Amino acid sequence: MTFSLDLADVRIDQVTEVDRWPFPPAELFPGVAVQAPDVGEDELVLAIHTYVVRHGDLTVLIDAGNGNAKQRPVLLAHHEFATDYLTRLAAVGVRPEDIDVVVATRLHPDHAGGSDRR
């Protein structure tokens, strides 16, 4: 699911990188038992999104920094992502070369390094 929002002269488009990402909650919350009824015991379901903000001639990408083909062998959930992100970005009318500014939401190891968007 994606969304777009127009606020006066600003447009915001959500671009999904990963739409369904189930994994054991212990990877984020060691020692916590969680049951998620839609996927079964011991799984959480997350998604990863970026946001394109356009104002006049300025295009800003608010980015979680995952990116495809990144070597993260100690963080297997993020190791060598292979998504159709660039196709999804194009679906909202943006090519990588159209982006003027990238705002990284965080820079810890599982997110840093995705800005080249292979």
Side-chain angles (χ1 to χ4, degrees), residues 29-84:
F29 310 105
V32 173
V34 175
Q35 292 185 359
D38 65 329
V39 294
E41 283 190 31
D42 299 328
E43 287 189 318
L44 294 175
V45 178
L46 298 181
I48 300 171
H49 305 285
T50 63
Y51 297 88
V52 175
V53 179
R54 289 177 265 200
H55 181 267
D57 291 335
L58 181 66
T59 301
V60 176
L61 179 69
I62 300 173
D63 191 3
N66 285 289
N68 286 332
K70 302 300 176 195
Q71 297 295 309
R72 298 179 179 115
V74 297
L75 299 162
L76 293 179
H78 296 266
H79 184 59
E80 295 186 0
F81 267 4
T83 70
D84 62 347

Side-chain angles (χ1 to χ4, degrees), residues 3-21:
F3 76 86
S4 297
L5 178 64
D6 290 305
L7 301 169
D9 56 350
V10 175
R11 178 174 177 90
I12 302 169
D13 291 291
Q14 175 186 326
V15 181
T16 300
E17 185 169 11
V18 176
D19 57 359
R20 185 173 171 80
W21 179 29

